[in-house]
Amino acid sequence: MILITGGAGYIGSHSAIDFIKQGYDVVILDNLSTGHNEIIERIRNFSLKEEVKGTLVDFINADIKDTYALNVLFNTYKIDCVVHFAANSLVNESVANPRKYYDNNVAGSINLLNAMVENNVKKIVFSSTCATYGEPEYIPIDEKHPQKPVNPYGNTKLAIEFAIKDYAKAYGLKYTIFRYFNVIGADFDGISGEWHNIETHLVPNILKANENKVFKLFGENYETKDGTCVRDYIDVCDLARAHTLAFEYLKENISTIINLGTGDGQSVKEIFEAVEKTLNRKIPIKKYGRREGDPAKLIANTALAKDIIDWEAKTPLDISIKNANEWEKTLKSLNAPNSKQKTGENFSKEAIL
């Protein structure tokens, strides 16, 4: 049984889908603060399809800060591995409200690690970020690049990395820490995709632009090929696959830290033009000055992912854009006002009492 924290969110839900496709039973833990109950139902429906029938999908409506719920969960299920996505991840919000980020990301993760130790669960795959590197000192960025985060979000992710390594040394945990670059796309079968109440990611913001809402481009004077920021855009389904491979790797191998990206970079203008070309439509745009703290380039060195878990990004950019666009159509048909409905098992002490 695989425990996926934050499995009702964007990347966590895609990881759950991939584990199900590989025949693993999963239990999803999510407090639905940013995840969506509709995504859980779509995953459950997918698990009943003939090609994956037989996999178990349970959903626990709880928070990683709830130590009682965590211990009930670990006593209820025989967990083989924790795949840990649950976190707040908005950079600007982390600057304005660091308390929220340290409380949820760091304190919540410590609760999770403590529950693992107390219940003899030895494997964890952790969702970290290239934000732990801060301003790049060289490109492409490998796993040995100095880690100097420039915002509280990156600081909290780095703090969890340190905690996992310390717990591994003291209590025998085995881990894979993934540092993500920029994630795009949606599930090929239309089960899940990006669904953020505050959308900060590039591709969905381009897709949402229309006659009433323009796309905002920030900065055209960076030291890049066309003056706009360059990022390494990785498809979410490729990313999800890496987590399943990491679990299988940990069965027989030692702990590791791996970048996940494509090893290539596209500028904001290139992504914008690729969306227009792929969808064959003009998108309204308005140009602004630079945003503070945006590095000119962030590109991953992905050699270690290939060497360690035999993984590499495979999905072409135009396919990622098409899948994301199809998901945008699906979002319009989903019942957004009920997206916070608290369903599934509730392991909180108050609910049980």
Side-chain angles (χ1 to χ4, degrees), residues 82-155:
V82 175
V83 186
H84 181 30
F85 297 97
N88 296 115
S89 60
L90 298 177
V91 170
N92 289 341
E93 183 186 51
S94 79
V95 174
N97 190 6
R99 175 178 178 176
K100 175 181 178 180
Y101 279 67
Y102 281 92
D103 186 39
N104 187 57
N105 294 6
V106 179
S109 294
I110 296 300
N111 285 344
L112 180 65
L113 290 171
N114 289 341
M116 290 177 64
V117 170
E118 290 163 10
N119 291 278
N120 200 34
V121 177
K122 296 293 189 181
K123 300 181 187 69
I124 183 168
V125 180
F126 174 55
S127 163
S128 191
T129 170
C130 66
T132 65
Y133 295 123
E135 291 285 343
E137 297 180 8
Y138 56 83
I139 298 290
I141 299 169
D142 60 25
E143 291 81 359
K144 294 180 181 179
H145 187 286
Q147 289 179 282
K148 300 176 182 178
V150 295
N151 53 65
Y153 167 63
N155 287 334

Side-chain angles (χ1 to χ4, degrees), residues 50-70:
E50 195 61 39
E51 62 267 30
V52 293
K53 201 167 184 179
T55 56
L56 174 68
V57 179
D58 278 356
F59 169 53
I60 309 303
N61 173 214
D63 195 299
I64 57 172
K65 297 192 296 293
D66 187 337
T67 56
Y68 183 87
L70 287 176

Side-chain angles (χ1 to χ4, degrees), residues 202-309:
L202 177 63
V203 171
N205 273 321
I206 297 174
L207 293 171
K208 292 177 190 298
N210 53 45
E211 62 274 7
N212 298 315
K213 181 181 179 182
V214 301
F215 169 68
K216 299 177 180 179
L217 188 153
F218 294 96
E220 291 186 282
N221 60 346
Y222 291 91
E223 293 183 5
T224 61
K225 48 193 167 183
D226 61 19
T228 62
C229 291
V230 171
R231 297 290 184 266
D232 188 332
Y233 294 94
I234 174 176
D235 188 85
V236 68
C237 295
D238 291 338
L239 191 79
R241 184 79 188 102
H243 294 75
T244 314
L245 293 172
F247 166 60
E248 293 168 349
Y249 174 85
L250 284 177
K251 292 178 183 178
E252 305 293 338
N253 296 283
I254 61 173
S255 300
T256 189
I257 299 172
I258 298 174
N259 285 340
L260 292 180
T262 65
D264 193 14
Q266 285 82 36
S267 71
V268 173
K269 280 185 179 178
E270 286 176 326
I271 295 293
F272 181 83
E273 290 166 0
V275 173
E276 287 193 323
K277 180 180 178 181
T278 301
L279 303 185
N280 192 29
R281 69 180 175 93
K282 295 297 291 182
I283 296 170
I285 185 171
K286 188 173 182 180
K287 299 175 182 180
Y288 294 82
R290 287 191 189 196
R291 291 183 301 193
E292 185 178 351
D294 277 343
K297 293 181 182 179
L298 291 174
I299 301 173
N301 182 323
T302 61
L304 203 60
K306 178 64 176 175
D307 291 344
I308 298 292
I309 59 173

Side-chain angles (χ1 to χ4, degrees), residues 32 39 82 113 136 147 149 152 173 192 197 267 294-295 312 317 327:
L32 298 181
I39 298 296
V82 175
L113 290 171
Q147 289 179 282
L173 299 185
S192 185
N197 293 328
S267 71
D294 277 343
E312 57 187 342
L317 178 61
W327 174 250

